[in-house]
Amino acid sequence: MTKSIAETGRPAAVPRWFLIVAFLSALALLVAACGDNGDDDEVAVDDPDDEEIDEPDEPDDADEPDNADEPEELIEVSAGFVSGVDQMGLPAALDLGFFEDQGLDVEIVSPFPTGVDALNALEAGEVDFTQVGTPSFGAILEGMDVVYLGNYSGSAVQTGIDETMAMVAAEGTDIDPDDFTTLEGQRIGVSIGSINHLYVLGALESVGMGPDDVELVNLPPPEMPVSLETGSVDVISIWDPWPIIALNDVEGSFEVSRGGGYLAYIGYIVALGDFVEENPDVVERFLTARAEADAWVRENPEDAAEIVVRWFPGTEQEVAEEAMQYNIRQADPRMSACNYLAAHMNLELLRDLETIDEIYDVNDVFVPEHILNIMEERPELMDDLDDIPEEAQIGPDYTFDPDEAAEACPE
């Protein structure tokens, strides 16, 4: 290795012949520079041996990077979602090019009937990301390595929010929307283990009733309007657009409830823990595109309804537009202590009702750092949302405490 004067402490010795040659070369250059050749062309110098001097070769194209002008290759990922209007941010991000802008080539699997189906696809490796709420509870308790990355629906500001949920009853049922005790003995269609199941439980609990006071019938959402019409059930509990479809299609049906704050709504963008650890950049790109889509949906609900119609064939534009008015109230991708609390509260509710035997520490399943980065770097995507209470704001090392979160988050 060549060493500098600073490294050796002394200059290297220079031979005397080198100094003489250097002096003569400099003198020759000075004479050439002073000569006038009458134009601005370069001075031609004859080679002493009359040999032709080769001009330097032009740079070889092969020396240039092959992909100098090529766009960045898109990263292929797959994603799934459930057939609910509140999950439409995913196809919106695809249709509007937000994923491609983030360097992702996303393939969306057709809507799953329930979150259980979506989780089965995730575990089988059919999708890298999916959107799911309460069905993740059972999966995690069974040992599935699911982690929560952000929200597709819910609230980072409060716990009690359920505007996208409704119960619809068939004509002739003796149910009073102002008195939930009249649900006693009724056959209620729900998707067992899903958020619509929890909505019923919360509504019953509000009047001191429990699941034993009604007959719960397990149904996938697309079958609910038909089941209501044929008399298989008396009431359905479901997310949009299905309650609106039922009201439009089932003659004489009527709304028993819409929202009401009976539920701490949860809806998470999830992936497997190993995938997240191995692909942090992909995760952040994916969540950024989803946050961009949510912002667009909140600002353009009528245009977003057109995307609902494209992805849910048979859904009428008017139905989609009405559903979007409820959906935009919950399209909050941010994370706060309130989201941890919502998961914890729902776990406790299911345990108290003996639907599950135990609960898990929600600290083990939330991975908030990626969405927190987006919240900091792209605040314009959330500027229209209500401010998160200061006490409920979290950092990447946040540790959830139920009592502290309950004080920080309004119901």
Side-chain angles (χ1 to χ4, degrees):
M1 179 184 294
T2 305
K3 293 185 177 182
S4 66
I5 294 176
E7 291 173 313
T8 61
R10 62 184 184 279
V14 180
R16 186 168 181 272
W17 62 266
F18 181 88
L19 296 175
I20 295 173
V21 172
F23 172 77
L24 293 176
S25 298
L27 182 62
L29 289 172
L30 180 62
V31 171
C34 292
D36 183 7
N37 63 350
D39 56 34
D40 293 332
D41 293 336
E42 225 178 73
V43 178
V45 180
D46 293 332
D47 186 79
D49 297 325
D50 292 326
E51 293 181 358
E52 183 179 352
I53 299 177
D54 294 333
E55 294 292 331
D57 294 334
E58 292 293 326
D60 192 339
D61 290 341
D63 295 336
E64 296 182 2
D66 292 337
N67 60 347
D69 297 324
E70 294 180 6
E72 178 186 7
E73 185 175 352
L74 299 179
I75 302 169
E76 295 183 0
V77 297
S78 57
F81 72 114
V82 179
S83 56
V85 171
D86 59 354
Q87 301 216 19
M88 294 310 296
L90 178 62
L94 179 67
D95 288 1
L96 297 169
F98 293 134
F99 284 129
E100 188 173 352
D101 291 343
Q102 290 297 320
L104 300 178
D105 179 8
V106 174
E107 177 189 3
I108 294 183
V109 177
S110 298
F112 296 108
T114 69
V116 174
D117 301 290
L119 286 168
N120 288 339
L122 181 67
E123 187 172 34
E126 297 171 11
V127 294
D128 300 310
F129 299 91
T130 198
Q131 301 184 156
V132 68
T134 54
S136 64
F137 293 168
I140 292 168
L141 288 170
E142 289 294 324
M144 188 173 175
D145 184 26
V146 177
V147 294
Y148 303 151
L149 304 171
N151 305 306
Y152 70 80
S153 187
S155 175
V157 176
Q158 64 189 76
T159 52
I161 186 168
D162 47 20
E163 295 299 319
T164 66
M165 302 297 305
M167 285 192 286
V168 176
E171 184 179 21
T173 53
D174 187 21
I175 297 173
D176 182 356
D178 296 322
D179 182 5
F180 285 172
T181 62
T182 58
L183 290 169
E184 185 175 2
Q186 303 289 344
R187 296 167 298 168
I188 304 179
V190 299
S191 303
I192 298 296
S194 289
I195 197 75
N196 56 353
H197 181 195
L198 282 185
Y199 182 67
V200 167
L201 296 180
L204 293 174
E205 186 183 44
S206 71
V207 292
M209 295 171 60
D212 293 337
D213 295 312
V214 297
E215 181 183 346
L216 298 178
V217 180
N218 190 25
L219 290 172
E223 294 182 14
M224 289 191 180
V226 175
S227 296
L228 193 67
E229 186 172 27
T230 59
S232 299
V233 294
D234 305 306
V235 185
I236 60 172
S237 169
I238 193 55
W239 52 75
D240 289 321
W242 303 110
I244 302 172
I245 291 174
L247 289 169
N248 286 354
D249 293 352
V250 181
E251 186 176 355
S253 62
F254 60 96
E255 190 173 84
V256 177
S257 67
R258 161 64 70 174
Y262 305 113
L263 175 67
Y265 200 95
I266 58 172
Y268 302 118
I269 299 171
V270 307
L272 296 180
D274 288 344
F275 177 85
V276 174
E277 290 182 6
E278 294 168 6
N279 302 276
D281 180 57
V282 171
V283 170
E284 202 146 318
R285 293 183 190 211
F286 188 91
L287 292 178
T288 299
R290 282 293 285 103
E292 291 175 327
D294 285 336
W296 181 86
V297 166
R298 293 193 304 271
E299 187 175 350
N300 304 278
E302 291 187 4
D303 293 333
E306 296 180 4
I307 295 178
V308 174
V309 172
R310 287 201 297 273
W311 282 84
F312 289 167
T315 303
E316 297 179 1
Q317 180 71 21
E318 295 77 11
V319 170
E321 289 182 6
E322 182 178 349
M324 288 306 302
Q325 296 304 318
Y326 301 116
N327 177 56
I328 59 176
R329 303 176 191 176
Q330 297 184 197
D332 185 348
R334 303 171 298 176
M335 274 196 175
S336 74
C338 303
N339 302 111
Y340 285 68
L341 180 60
H344 180 76
M345 290 172 61
N346 286 324
L347 280 164
E348 287 194 319
L349 173 61
L350 290 172
R351 181 194 60 188
D352 294 345
L353 294 170
E354 299 182 351
T355 304
I356 58 177
D357 296 328
E358 58 182 333
I359 66 174
Y360 52 82
D361 184 351
V362 297
N363 287 299
D364 296 336
V365 295
F366 277 88
V367 180
E369 53 261 37
H370 303 292
I371 191 63
L372 292 177
N373 287 341
I374 297 165
M375 290 165 61
E376 181 178 357
E377 296 170 6
R378 299 289 305 278
E380 74 279 4
L381 298 178
M382 297 91 171
D383 280 348
D384 61 308
L385 296 169
D386 291 339
D387 292 338
I388 299 173
E390 185 175 353
E391 298 80 5
Q393 296 175 16
I394 65 173
D397 298 324
Y398 170 72
T399 300
F400 168 73
D401 178 89
D403 294 332
E404 293 178 357
E407 292 181 5
C409 299
E411 295 182 0

